[in-house]
Amino acid sequence: MPIVNIKLIEGRSDEQLRGLVKDVTEAVHQNAQAPKENIQVIIEEMKPEHYGVAGVRKSDS
């Protein structure tokens, strides 16, 4: 049972997230030969102030 965990900075629409789940499921299905009904996709959204790169929070850049 493949589990895919995706972490994103919040701000995408429901339509975009729905498409992401669909496309990731299809990619795992095709490349790992896993049945679609066994593929789990977890999306974790975080606030820009909770994520930093090179010592700078995304909310500060």
Side-chain angles (χ1 to χ4, degrees):
M1 164 176 52
I3 300 171
V4 180
N5 192 347
I6 301 170
K7 296 183 180 191
L8 299 169
I9 293 181
E10 65 186 7
R12 284 148 183 95
S13 70
D14 192 53
E15 182 179 328
Q16 289 173 312
L17 296 173
R18 187 176 289 115
L20 181 60
V21 169
K22 181 179 179 224
D23 292 348
V24 167
T25 299
E26 186 62 35
V28 173
H29 170 68
Q30 288 182 5
N31 292 286
Q33 289 76 49
K36 289 182 182 180
E37 59 272 9
N38 292 345
I39 300 168
Q40 299 178 32
V41 178
I42 300 166
I43 297 174
E44 296 181 68
E45 292 187 298
M46 51 194 142
K47 297 179 180 292
E49 57 269 19
H50 294 168
Y51 179 76
V53 176
V56 178
R57 296 184 314 167
K58 287 305 249 183
S59 61
D60 296 335
S61 58

